Amino acid sequence: MNVSVVLFTADLRLHDHPPLRAALRSAASVVPLFVRDPAVDRAGFAAPNRLAFLADCLRDLDAGLRRRGGRLVVRTGEMVDEVCAVARETGAHEVHMSADVSAFAQAREERLRSALGADGRRLHVHDGVVTVLPPGAVTPAGSDHFAVFTPYFRRWVQERPRDPLPAPRAVHVPEVRSEEIPARSGAGPLSPGLPPGGERAARERLTRWLARPVDAYEDRNDDLAADATSRLSPDLHFGALSAAEVVHRARSRGGAGAEAFVRQLCWRDFHHQVLAARPRVAAEDYRTRHDRWRRGAEAEADLQAWKEGRTGYPVVDAAMRQLAHEGWTPGRARLLAASLLTKTLYLDWRTGARHFLDLLVDGDLANNQLNWQWMAGTGTDSRPNRVLNPVLQARRYDPDGAYVRRWVPELAGIAGPAVHEPWRLTGPERVASGYPAPLVGLADGLARFRRARALD
């Protein structure tokens, strides 16, 4: 029997899945395979929130395949070894998978290609499955990638994404051994507000988002209290939604809100094309500023206070507590937390990026690391020394203080915008809150940062 293997990675869906459709065209039977690779755990990416969301996605993918007569095959082990073993066991001549951009993924792809080739089998890698456009689809003259977002967006918006593919009607899977699909309960301690994962839940979220809320996105996406973002980033990270399909559906909806939303999806593509061209920026400065980040006991204490939401700056503490509770926080809140850590506390962006990866359900390497570098001033930002003032930003994006009061309950009794500067309170009101004083004054933090960057 003619058999192909489809290796699922960050594309855990049946709708708009080019590798699956190609495998179904080329073979009578297909093995939908997911490999639980211990190397991912060793690299530190097996955070409990993501493991739980992943388990939901895998179970939903299996359920979708079973409705079509198939099932998901799960193996644990080194990915190259397991894929080759499944191919030998089933007599598969081809393996189909989606392209990825990290250095780890690219090296793994080359090992898999070589190992399959030694067995007389072929690897087909499909571009543009994880992103809207494949990395490298648009490039500037004289370079392999765009280093600035705006010119990238001008080119990107002129390109039409591929048309989304329908989910298959039937999938025949040959007899092959499979392990039990992991359950959310085995992931470890989770953020209490962690949402359910899987393609079915993701498509429901997308439909609700495009039905009406997206219309207000341009005006309200930075409104912290309004919770007016799509919350689809975990679904995109795990591939429960196709980014190309999301763009098509948003553009069909139309309007300023939908276009602003599509622009954010372009940012996601932008970061992937940077990482594809420069894989080392996952851990190294894209543009070094020769920073001498603070170290030692005091710096470690400040880092721990930041992680726990005890910096003394309410809007940042609200963001960090929401992150701990939900495994998610809005983009504006992420920027404020990152600015305070890297510019005001002058701590290494990598420590913040690692903490975010430990908790974020949508902890995508390209987006997380490059957004952190953007805020730290070591990345693609054309204004590398900008500092976001948490008080001014809070007054602008949480004017009544509702977001802060939601996540910093000890300040819930402080009405209006005064909640953003609790250190100005006097007498019993300040004592009763029990809220800490700022780790450092904004003026002092700014002066330290400017000295460190030789800006004075």
Side-chain angles (χ1 to χ4, degrees), residues 363-380:
D364 179 273
L365 191 67
N367 292 314
N368 187 67
Q369 307 304 88
L370 287 165
N371 271 318
W372 267 95
Q373 290 223 45
W374 189 90
M375 197 62 256
T378 63
T380 62

Side-chain angles (χ1 to χ4, degrees), residues 186-228:
L190 307 178
S191 296
L194 185 70
E199 183 177 19
R200 177 173 287 189
R203 295 184 74 80
E204 289 174 356
R205 281 190 282 265
L206 176 61
T207 297
R208 288 195 300 270
W209 169 247
L210 295 178
R212 186 178 296 273
V214 71
D215 295 341
Y217 184 77
E218 183 181 37
D219 297 326
R220 305 191 68 189
N221 71 88
D222 281 325
D223 185 336
L224 293 171
D227 194 11

Side-chain angles (χ1 to χ4, degrees), residues 101-124:
V101 297
S102 70
F104 174 80
Q106 292 179 34
R108 183 178 63 189
E109 177 189 312
E110 287 308 308
R111 293 198 310 273
L112 181 57
R113 189 186 306 279
S114 177
L116 289 171
D119 275 353
R121 297 178 170 89
R122 294 184 61 190
L123 175 65
H124 299 274

